[in-house]
Amino acid sequence: MQLTDRLTVLPGVGPKSAEKYLKLDLETVGDLLVYYPFRYEDFKSRDVLELLDGEKAVVVGQVVTPASVQYYGYKRNRLSFKIKQGEVVVGVSFFNQPYLADQIDLGEQVSIWGKWDLKKAALTGMKVLAQAQDDMQPIYHVGQGVTQANLVKLVTAAFQVGYHQLLEENLPQVLLEKYRLINRQAAVVAMHFPADIEQYRQALRRVKFEELFYYQLRLQVLREKTKSTDFGLSILYQQDLLDDRIKKLPFSLTDAQNRSLDEILKDMGSPRHMNRLLQGDVGSGKTVVAGLAMFAAVTAGFQAAIMVPTEILAEQHFASLTELFPDLSIALLTGSMKQSEKRLILEQIADGRVNMIVGTHALIQEGVSYHRLGLVITDEQHRFGVNQRRLFREKGEQPDVLMMTATPIPRTLAITAYGEMDVSIIDQLPAGRKPIVTRWVKHEQFEQVLDWLSSELEKGAQVYVISPLIEASEALDLKNATALAEDLQSYFKDQAKIALLHGKMKAQEKDDIMQGFKAKAIDLLVSTTVIEVGVNVPNATIMIIMDADRFGLSQLHQLRGRVGRGDKQSYAILVSNPKTESGKRRMSIMTETTDGFVLAEEDLKMRGSGELFGTRQSGIPEFQVADIVEDYPILEEARKMAAQIVQDPKWMDQADWEILARNLDQTSRFD
Ligand code: ADP
Ligand code: MG
């Protein structure tokens, strides 16, 4: 008996069903044991008076009316009867399962698994259970002809045969003790059939640690190995030319910018391959640091390219680079350019006539070839997928890589999400910026806000008003924004020129409105959340966010970051009557801090990873049980532990080392 035995050794599994299981990647009994449920159903009997509307639950009661079936159309019918739980009579209906009537006997107890309709005090039945069960029922990912019942039966069979006793402990004893983790066999059994919620929590904590620990250990072992061999380009830039440029900047760099630039230059100059993330809050001045790094590459005879997610940003960066380096030849490449224009630029890129290239995804298309591309930079890098980042890298021969992001996430998480890399942080805003004053007001106080706005407009202030976000409907968002703009216009009349900006507008229209706002032809801009990243109107000093509790912290922070860009005092007004505790909490945190890092950490605690990183293709390894945001504390602990082990091998004894060595190989799926 071995864990590598085919599933066909289990009773009831023939070659046919084995094929179905194979489609779920279940080949051996070992695979099956670690095919954990993704949730559980609690089949304990519930008191109907405690049920929420729409909740699924098991209700046990005495059948007080005979079951009757009504037919109303082809193959459509309804089985209904009433049950009594204590003093409460509950109507029960099953749709299109007339045969269940056999199981409903007047006067007997039944257990119904169903969905509660609070208004009608009725259950829509899904199952008649033999009896209420006290344990939690596992729910597996199924499909390909495999049912929940199949899997429950199969796992039960494997446990009955005793396969789980073959599972060897795969965590060193010192770690089990240090973190008080339950052993592997107990954990695996409890993952499938936990006796209660507490046992399940213990099992989950153990398997999550196991998963994240081996992931971290692997990363760090790999890093140790590649440290000495990972040669890239040595970019021998000319320090004097660079110093000269820095002197000529219209401002002096902040300490944080200087520090980050030094870290980047050091990587570039060394033969070691640079893979670095530059993190800095909105407005912290990442662009100029990127520009100087590009300039350094150019002084060493290399090309440097920067890729951004939108055309608006590409044009903005092109403009600022051209202003910083008027004497260099800089090219802009975007998807919407005319063919003839593009062809010319592609030639200049290929033969090295241009030194710096700014562009969108157009930069990584086939047919774009570079000339001694030594440095590639990705701005707002979380907006790109792994493949796009790889394609960009492969446009050069081992170019140094710099990624930039305004989403401040803890380092461990960044590495887990984006791979092994070094991180530089600009944790300081340029001098002279006044912190934005943030206030939270209720809708009832909006009149007062309008009063105050009126006097600020009188003094020449420019204002953004973000209209409420209505999930799932862009059309409704637009309707709301339009109504809001009209209301405000009729309130302020001639006092303010008001315009509307929304997602359905053409790029040109949006651009016209933004230009109008910049030129102060517009005083108040009502917008849906489409205000693009990077929009920069320093004279705008007031940001009003309607129904602010509908936004997450990071988004609120981004929106607020549209003001406070000049030397005038700026304000953010959050208008909301949050219904949930978390909504209230978000409002108060926003009034307490303008620090993006603090907000991001709070955001991490309050939300899941999906919202932070977007899609799957962001490159986050797909963990089986762990969620890197929710389980961030475990990830961080696992990282510390892995580092300690890699740096101090004597910390563990021989037996523990052997366990690690054996299991490190089996976690290679992260490579
Ligand atoms: P982000 O980090 O959000 O990309 P930007 O690079 O767009 O920020 O910089 C925001 C603004 O701050 C720009 O107008 C830029 O010229 C200005 N800036 C950058 N660094 C400094 C500095 N050290 N002192 C003053 N202004 C600066
Ligand atoms: Mg930027």
Side-chain angles (χ1 to χ4, degrees):
M1 200 166 89
Q2 286 178 329
L3 288 172
T4 50
D5 288 349
R6 308 282 116 172
L7 286 180
T8 43
V9 300
L10 296 175
V13 184
K16 264 250 171 72
S17 40
E19 248 169 64
K20 285 193 282 185
Y21 291 121
L22 197 57
K23 288 189 188 141
L24 297 177
D25 273 336
L26 293 172
E27 188 177 4
T28 66
V29 181
D31 296 339
L32 178 69
L33 291 184
V34 297
Y35 193 77
Y36 303 131
F38 66 98
R39 64 182 179 90
Y40 301 81
E41 214 95 78
D42 197 347
F43 282 167
K44 246 184 252 159
S45 165
R46 299 278 304 276
D47 184 341
V48 287
L49 296 177
E50 287 172 3
L51 294 180
L52 305 175
D53 190 36
E55 191 176 2
K56 290 176 188 164
V58 173
V59 175
V60 178
Q62 188 188 21
V63 180
V64 292
T65 65
S68 68
V69 181
Q70 286 165 279
Y71 291 85
Y72 52 95
Y74 180 65
K75 284 194 176 166
R76 291 171 57 172
N77 57 72
R78 184 170 84 167
L79 166 70
S80 43
F81 53 95
K82 291 200 164 103
I83 61 173
K84 196 169 161 195
Q85 186 191 57
E87 291 309 306
V88 187
V89 174
V90 172
V92 183
S93 317
F94 279 92
F95 291 93
N96 310 324
Q97 288 165 277
Y99 46 86
L100 290 178
D102 292 347
Q103 296 177 41
I104 310 300
D105 298 314
L106 194 60
E108 296 293 313
Q109 292 277 328
V110 284
S111 301
I112 309 290
W113 168 241
K115 191 170 161 191
W116 182 240
D117 182 329
L118 188 64
K119 269 201 222 106
K120 296 189 188 142
L123 270 181
T124 304
M126 296 183 291
K127 248 186 215 175
V128 180
L129 303 175
Q131 61 190 62
Q133 291 154 336
D134 270 345
D135 45 356
M136 294 155 62
Q137 297 294 304
I139 308 291
Y140 298 92
H141 285 295
V142 291
Q144 312 287 352
V146 178
T147 65
Q148 294 292 344
N150 289 152
L151 271 171
V152 170
K153 227 166 104 190
L154 209 59
V155 176
T156 310
F159 285 155
Q160 266 163 5
V161 178
Y163 271 103
H164 56 294
Q165 286 158 19
L166 299 176
L167 288 166
E168 282 177 37
E169 182 51 62
N170 61 4
L171 283 175
Q173 192 60 33
V174 279
L175 297 191
L176 294 181
E177 280 164 22
K178 182 173 160 77
Y179 298 113
R180 288 194 231 131
L181 300 171
I182 61 173
N183 72 55
R184 181 146 182 246
Q185 287 183 16
V188 169
V189 174
M191 281 302 287
H192 293 280
F193 302 119
D196 53 41
I197 193 85
E198 183 47 32
Q199 199 188 60
Y200 169 63
R201 284 206 188 105
Q202 292 300 333
L204 196 60
R205 193 166 73 89
R206 141 93 213 198
V207 293
K208 281 179 172 176
F209 182 85
E210 180 186 317
E211 186 167 43
L212 294 173
F213 169 73
Y214 274 107
Y215 166 72
Q216 279 291 333
L217 189 64
R218 212 175 165 73
L219 269 185
Q220 299 195 30
V221 168
L222 223 63
R223 179 163 56 163
E224 280 302 301
K225 269 199 219 146
T226 51
K227 248 186 188 162
S228 49
T229 58
D230 188 11
F231 288 108
L233 292 174
S234 207
I235 296 183
L236 303 171
Y237 60 92
Q238 301 183 36
Q239 187 71 53
D240 50 336
L241 292 180
L242 189 62
D243 288 343
D244 190 46
R245 285 300 162 141
I246 294 176
K247 251 184 246 138
K248 284 192 188 132
L249 290 175
F251 43 73
S252 52
L253 295 177
T254 62
D255 290 345
Q257 283 172 318
N258 268 320
R259 185 170 10 92
S260 300
L261 182 62
D262 283 348
E263 287 164 357
I264 293 164
L265 292 171
K266 208 162 145 222
D267 279 0
M268 284 170 57
S270 93
R272 211 162 83 69
H273 184 243
M274 172 164 84
N275 199 30
R276 186 172 281 279
L277 179 70
L278 177 61
Q279 277 190 0
D281 213 342
V282 197
S284 62
K286 294 182 290 295
T287 318
V288 64
V289 173
L292 290 167
M294 291 171 86
F295 177 76
V298 172
T299 66
F302 287 99
Q303 263 181 350
I306 181 166
M307 177 164 75
V308 300
T310 67
E311 303 217 338
I312 293 181
L313 266 187
E315 298 203 5
Q316 191 173 297
H317 278 19
F318 178 67
S320 28
L321 286 177
T322 310
E323 204 179 301
L324 277 176
F325 309 110
D327 51 327
L328 298 191
S329 35
I330 305 176
L332 173 68
L333 187 66
T334 66
S336 68
M337 281 175 149
K338 279 203 219 92
Q339 275 308 326
S340 53
E341 219 180 338
K342 217 187 244 169
R343 204 170 318 118
L344 185 67
I345 288 171
L346 287 179
E347 264 171 38
Q348 294 177 336
I349 295 175
D351 66 18
R353 259 179 291 165
V354 294
N355 315 112
M356 285 188 191
I357 303 116
V358 187
T360 56
H361 300 82
L363 294 186
I364 54 174
Q365 302 309 310
E366 243 176 274
V368 187
S369 59
Y370 295 81
H371 182 81
R372 298 199 63 190
L373 181 60
L375 174 66
V376 299
I377 304 182
T378 318
D379 195 10
E380 309 285 346
Q381 74 105 20
H382 55 282
R383 297 259 212 121
F384 294 93
V386 228
N387 274 333
Q388 293 169 324
R389 300 199 294 261
R390 183 178 50 79
L391 282 174
F392 197 22
R393 224 168 35 238
E394 288 174 354
K395 286 291 185 184
E397 274 170 47
Q398 298 273 19
D400 279 336
V401 175
L402 181 67
M403 299 162 283
M404 308 204 290
T405 182
T407 308
I409 51 175
R411 181 166 187 275
T412 318
L413 201 52
I415 289 177
T416 302
Y418 307 126
E420 184 50 57
M421 61 190 167
D422 298 299
V423 179
S424 293
I425 299 176
I426 307 185
D427 52 2
Q428 185 181 18
L429 293 180
R433 302 258 174 97
K434 296 197 182 75
I436 301 164
V437 172
T438 304
R439 296 263 185 272
W440 166 27
V441 304
K442 302 281 178 66
H443 282 110
E444 305 86 273
Q445 297 164 286
F446 195 53
E447 277 287 331
Q448 283 158 262
V449 173
L450 288 175
D451 245 14
W452 169 75
L453 259 189
S454 168
S455 65
E456 289 296 311
L457 284 165
E458 215 44 58
K459 291 185 229 158
Q462 282 187 285
V463 184
Y464 294 100
V465 180
I466 305 297
S467 66
L469 169 92
I470 292 164
E471 270 143 272
S473 167
E474 221 179 299
L476 266 182
D477 280 352
L478 177 53
K479 206 170 138 206
N480 253 284
T482 312
L484 182 61
E486 282 165 6
D487 284 355
L488 289 171
Q489 188 69 77
S490 63
Y491 183 92
F492 290 117
K493 304 212 170 62
D494 293 342
Q495 201 195 351
K497 196 135 184 354
I498 296 179
L500 178 63
L501 188 72
H502 61 82
K504 293 230 168 98
M505 287 176 159
K506 292 207 185 75
Q508 185 59 47
E509 274 178 287
K510 275 193 235 174
D511 201 46
D512 287 347
I513 291 194
M514 284 317 299
Q515 292 309 333
F517 193 51
K518 247 181 197 167
K520 298 194 196 176
I522 294 165
D523 306 305
L524 189 153
L525 188 62
V526 176
S527 172
T528 55
T529 51
V530 295
I531 295 223
E532 300 273 348
V533 268
V535 166
N536 191 22
V537 183
N539 193 56
T541 53
I542 300 175
M543 164 63 68
I544 297 186
I545 306 176
M546 306 301 288
D547 285 346
D549 57 313
R550 303 234 184 172
F551 300 102
L553 281 176
S554 295
Q555 208 175 356
L556 287 171
H557 181 59
Q558 287 290 339
L559 287 169
R560 179 170 61 182
R562 297 305 118 219
V563 297
R565 310 196 133 238
D567 46 11
K568 288 189 210 139
Q569 179 62 55
S570 289
Y571 302 89
I573 313 291
L574 313 175
V575 185
S576 83
N577 298 26
K579 290 187 193 67
T580 62
E581 277 313 306
S582 103
K584 285 179 200 154
R585 172 123 183 83
R586 269 175 284 138
M587 295 306 102
S588 9
I589 296 171
M590 283 298 291
T591 60
E592 284 157 20
T593 184
T594 50
D595 184 329
F597 283 76
V598 174
L599 288 166
E601 296 215 331
E602 288 292 334
D603 211 18
L604 278 179
K605 287 187 211 150
M606 297 172 76
R607 308 199 297 172
S609 59
E611 301 197 51
L612 249 190
F613 299 110
T615 57
R616 293 213 155 161
Q617 55 134 21
S618 62
I620 305 176
E622 277 188 49
F623 293 107
Q624 193 193 356
V625 281
D627 174 291
I628 54 167
V629 168
E630 200 176 296
D631 302 319
Y632 178 68
I634 305 180
L635 178 69
E636 180 54 22
E637 196 52 46
R639 181 193 64 80
K640 281 195 207 136
M641 190 35 73
Q644 179 164 357
I645 290 169
V646 169
Q647 277 150 32
D648 181 12
K650 285 200 281 299
W651 187 76
M652 284 190 324
D653 63 23
Q654 188 61 26
D656 280 346
W657 263 108
E658 279 164 16
I659 291 182
L660 287 188
R662 247 197 327 275
N663 288 287
L664 206 52
D665 284 343
Q666 289 169 13
T667 49
S668 58
R669 68 192 179 87
F670 292 123
D671 285 357

